[in-house]
Amino acid sequence: DAKTTQPPSMDCAEGRAANLPCNHSTISGNEYVYWYRQIHSQGPQYIIHGLKNNETNEMASLIITEDRKSSTLILPHATLRDTAVYYCIPRDDKIIFGKGTRLHILP
Amino acid sequence: DAGVIQSPRHEVTEMGQEVTLRCKPISGHDYLFWYRQTMMRGLELLIYFNNNVPIDDSGMPEDRFSAKMPNASFSTLKIQPSEPRDSAVYFCASSGGIAEEVHEQFFGPGTRLTVL
């Protein structure tokens, strides 16, 4: 499994876009990039995934660089309820959670 | 669907006692996962099943831990005997299939275990 590097924490103002980076330079060609988040005292929640192309759903957008060595999760209009730990996970089989990024949304 | 159901939500026991955690996956899902989360080690995969068969138990800490899935709608994680270092939140998750393009895992609310 590819190793990931995420900043341990980030702040974002409520209503602004939150951009969470992830480096996965050792990702292999068949590994998707998955993003999950964990709100305090809850189980992790799937957000989005992608392979090569940028993806968008009702929760977020995922931008993957052309060389696939990094990606950015974008929450377009962050709210206080988006305060959570965000995990970037390259995988082709089982999910391996790293330490993630603790995102604080500031009122 | 009610989602992944775990019971009990909280368990407090004394060292040496047997602990059994229960999980009901989402109906129709053929993969089931058990995770453990602590402050020190984060979220760790313990074991996962496909169609009720254990596929990878390399994350199970030691022989005191065992997991079973007797049918598609029920799984247990047992710790015998329990130790204080087993205190953690244990999550169960299910998914429709790893080989599919979309294999989102749905997590339950977790069981918070405290071993005194």
Side-chain angles (χ1 to χ4, degrees), chain B residues 6-11 20-22 110-112:
Chain B
Q6 291 187 247
S7 64
R9 294 293 307 278
H10 302 273
E11 176 81 27
T20 300
L21 311 181
R22 297 172 177 80
T111 295
R112 182 174 296 276

Side-chain angles (χ1 to χ4, degrees), chain A:
Chain A
D1 291 316
K3 297 290 188 286
T4 61
T5 303
Q6 296 180 254
S9 67
M10 292 181 62
D11 292 338
C12 179
E14 189 177 19
R16 305 297 293 268
N19 296 278
L20 294 96
C22 179
N23 286 325
H24 33 77
S25 58
T26 61
I27 194 169
S28 64
N30 59 345
E31 285 185 304
Y32 284 81
V33 179
Y34 280 73
W35 283 81
Y36 279 73
R37 74 179 181 183
Q38 187 174 22
I39 296 170
H40 181 62
S41 299
Q42 297 181 21
Q45 176 191 24
Y46 165 85
I47 302 172
I48 198 169
H49 77 286
L51 183 62
K52 296 180 182 178
N53 301 318
N54 298 338
E55 302 288 344
T56 296
N57 64 19
E58 65 278 5
M59 289 184 67
S61 294
L62 175 60
I63 309 297
I64 303 174
T65 58
E66 191 169 344
D67 62 9
R68 300 204 336 113
K69 292 185 177 182
S70 66
S71 60
T72 301
L73 179 75
I74 301 172
L75 308 178
H77 306 286
T79 71
L80 296 177
R81 288 176 293 181
D82 293 321
T83 293
V85 178
Y86 287 77
Y87 298 97
C88 164
I89 306 165
R91 66 170 283 207
D92 60 359
D93 184 10
K94 56 191 180 186
I95 286 181
I96 305 295
F97 286 84
K99 296 188 183 302
T101 295
R102 187 171 296 276
L103 177 65
H104 300 274
I105 305 301
L106 308 175

Side-chain angles (χ1 to χ4, degrees), chain B residues 63-111:
Chain B
D63 292 345
R64 296 185 298 106
F65 286 69
S66 63
K68 294 181 180 179
M69 192 165 185
N71 57 61
S73 59
F74 183 66
S75 177
T76 59
L77 178 67
K78 186 174 294 186
I79 308 172
Q80 167 63 20
S82 59
E83 296 182 4
R85 59 189 168 127
D86 302 329
S87 297
V89 179
Y90 290 81
F91 289 103
C92 177
S94 69
S95 72
I98 284 183
E100 298 167 0
E101 182 180 355
V102 177
H103 31 100
E104 171 187 352
Q105 290 189 14
F106 294 83
F107 282 76
T111 295

Side-chain angles (χ1 to χ4, degrees), chain B:
Chain B
D1 200 313
V4 175
I5 299 173
Q6 291 187 247
S7 64
R9 294 293 307 278
H10 302 273
E11 176 81 27
V12 180
T13 190
E14 294 187 344
M15 182 174 62
Q17 297 298 305
E18 178 179 294
V19 174
T20 300
L21 311 181
R22 297 172 177 80
C23 175
K24 176 179 169 54
I26 292 173
S27 177
H29 281 185
D30 50 10
Y31 280 84
L32 184 139
F33 307 80
W34 282 100
Y35 292 85
R36 176 175 69 174
Q37 186 169 35
T38 62
M39 288 293 292
M40 290 295 293
R41 301 176 65 89
L43 199 58
E44 305 172 279
L45 176 65
L46 300 178
I47 184 171
Y48 75 92
F49 295 82
N50 178 25
N51 292 321
N52 313 337
V53 176
I55 303 301
D56 185 344
D57 65 353
S58 59
M60 296 286 264
E62 49 198 274
D63 292 345
R64 296 185 298 106
F65 286 69
S66 63
K68 294 181 180 179
M69 192 165 185
N71 57 61
S73 59
F74 183 66
S75 177
T76 59
L77 178 67
K78 186 174 294 186
I79 308 172
Q80 167 63 20
S82 59
E83 296 182 4
R85 59 189 168 127
D86 302 329
S87 297
V89 179
Y90 290 81
F91 289 103
C92 177
S94 69
S95 72
I98 284 183
E100 298 167 0
E101 182 180 355
V102 177
H103 31 100
E104 171 187 352
Q105 290 189 14
F106 294 83
F107 282 76
T111 295
R112 182 174 296 276
L113 173 66
T114 303
V115 183
L116 302 174

